[in-house]
Amino acid sequence: MQTPTPSDADLLARVAAGDERALRELVERHSAWLALRLRRRTPDEELAASALQDTFVAVWQQARRYRGDGDVGAWLWGIAIRQLVSRLRVRRGPTPVSQQVVAALSPSLRSAEDELLAAVEHGDLGAALRGLSPQLREALQVTVLDGLSTSEAALLLGVPQGTVKSRVRLAKARLRRQLLEGLA
């Protein structure tokens, strides 16, 4: 009889209790996709690797903070993106977001937003998103999908905070207009 595979939430509870093997299993389950997403946010491989490593150090130290009311993967991504932003703050210089698209991701490594965008790629929303400039799409991605504040997004994108706000506002207005025109 096989032992059932523990859920991420179960593993995180064990990590909170000091179980190093549970942490190793979380690392094995989540490090590949977290690394891919971090590398999509910065062209600096070393910076992404450092943020990933410190993500799991933070998980070890803060596992008790997980409230259990959301997906563990989303909670881990929140930690990872903030680790990356923290490193960028220390660097004090703008670092451009990588424009590379990881096209060959296996379905198990694709992020939630990648899955969502793939599902709507050929629909009205996909067309509207493709109609946005890369700068507007980036601003939407880091603020709406990644959940960063405008100040964190500004640091990540290497632009002033007001520029992020303007881009997000403009992107939303253009999406709204394009989608409403499609209904008429």
Side-chain angles (χ1 to χ4, degrees):
M1 188 160 118
Q2 286 186 326
T3 306
T5 304
S7 70
D8 287 343
D10 292 338
L11 289 173
L12 204 51
R14 289 176 31 205
V15 170
D19 186 340
E20 291 179 25
R21 286 194 302 173
L23 178 64
R24 275 193 296 275
E25 190 164 343
L26 275 176
V27 169
E28 288 173 14
R29 285 185 189 181
H30 295 280
S31 62
W33 71 266
L34 285 169
L36 284 171
R37 288 189 74 191
L38 287 167
R39 284 194 305 263
R40 289 176 66 187
R41 300 304 188 272
T42 180
D44 186 334
E45 296 276 335
E46 188 176 309
L47 188 67
S50 174
L52 179 64
Q53 181 178 356
D54 287 345
T55 295
F56 287 105
V57 170
V59 167
W60 177 254
Q61 295 170 341
Q62 302 172 13
R64 287 185 178 93
R65 291 187 179 178
Y66 176 69
R67 295 181 305 224
D69 57 353
D71 181 64
V72 171
W75 185 75
L76 291 171
W77 174 244
I79 294 170
I81 192 66
R82 283 174 174 73
Q83 290 292 333
L84 180 61
V85 169
S86 292
R87 267 140 209 78
L88 290 171
R89 279 192 184 113
V90 169
R91 190 180 268 187
R92 300 262 188 231
T95 300
V97 174
S98 173
Q99 296 298 314
Q100 295 177 324
V101 177
V102 182
L105 292 177
S106 73
S108 64
L109 295 178
R110 293 178 76 173
S111 65
E113 70 264 19
D114 290 334
E115 291 292 332
L116 175 63
L117 292 176
V120 299
E121 180 177 0
H122 300 290
D124 293 340
L125 181 57
L129 286 169
R130 283 189 303 277
L132 295 175
S133 70
Q135 294 85 4
L136 296 181
R137 277 195 310 269
E138 283 177 340
L140 272 181
Q141 182 176 7
V142 298
T143 57
V144 176
L145 297 176
D146 292 341
L148 295 182
S149 69
T150 54
S151 63
E152 291 168 329
L155 186 61
L156 185 65
L157 297 174
V159 298
Q161 186 174 354
T163 301
V164 172
K165 290 178 182 180
S166 297
R167 287 178 181 175
V168 169
R169 186 173 42 255
L170 183 58
K172 287 179 179 181
R174 287 187 181 170
L175 284 176
R176 189 178 307 112
R177 184 174 49 249
Q178 288 178 3
L179 293 172
L180 289 175
E181 286 173 2
L183 293 176

